[in-house]
């Protein structure tokens, strides 16, 4: 379930030694938690549910990427490609 996946990466983030990675991944997970709570507690339409699941899933994947160093590499390459010449 989505909650189980969220909790798993929340725990991984809490255990991370690198403070920058920990803070960035926890910030992303904190942003998607209210949406996850709404999904669990309220009756909403299928369309809205699908959209909200996608938002939560995307946030979890971003946190996972940060913990695995994939997102930081992407951000660095985007910054270097956007520098004026």
């Amino acid at each position: 379930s989505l909650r189980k996946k969220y909790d798993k990466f929340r725990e991984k983030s809490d255990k991370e030694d690198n403070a920058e990675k920990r803070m960035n991944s926890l910030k992303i997970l904190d942003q998607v938690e209210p949406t996850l709570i709404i999904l669990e507690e309220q009756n909403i339409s299928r369309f809205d549910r699908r959209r909200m699941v996608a938002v939560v899933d995307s946030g979890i994947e971003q946190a996972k990427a940060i913990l695995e160093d994939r997102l930081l590499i992407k951000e660095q390459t985007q910054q270097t490609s956007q520098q004026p010449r």
Side-chain angles (χ1 to χ4, degrees):
S1 79
L2 207 52
R3 171 54 82 174
K4 197 173 191 178
K5 189 175 177 183
Y6 172 86
D7 288 340
K8 176 182 170 185
F9 284 105
R10 182 78 190 200
E11 286 180 24
K12 279 189 177 185
S13 296
D14 286 336
K15 292 177 184 176
E16 178 61 46
D17 293 333
N18 184 328
E20 186 177 353
K21 281 188 196 179
R22 184 175 57 245
M23 292 298 292
N24 288 334
S25 62
L26 287 173
K27 185 175 14 171
I28 290 171
L29 291 172
D30 285 344
Q31 289 174 355
V32 298
E33 187 177 24
T35 307
L36 182 60
I37 292 170
I38 290 170
L39 282 169
E40 293 173 338
E41 295 179 355
Q42 293 184 10
N43 290 330
I44 50 180
S45 69
R46 265 190 219 161
F47 175 76
D48 288 337
R49 177 172 292 281
R50 189 176 76 203
R51 184 179 52 79
M52 293 169 90
V53 166
V55 167
V56 173
D57 209 25
S58 172
I60 292 171
E61 289 301 317
Q62 283 181 344
K64 180 180 177 182
I66 286 173
L67 293 175
E68 295 175 351
D69 284 334
R70 286 185 292 149
L71 192 61
L72 295 177
I73 293 168
K74 276 187 192 176
E75 289 175 354
Q76 289 170 353
T77 56
Q78 285 176 355
Q79 288 173 356
T80 55
S81 66
Q82 291 176 357
Q83 290 178 347
R85 296 180 179 156

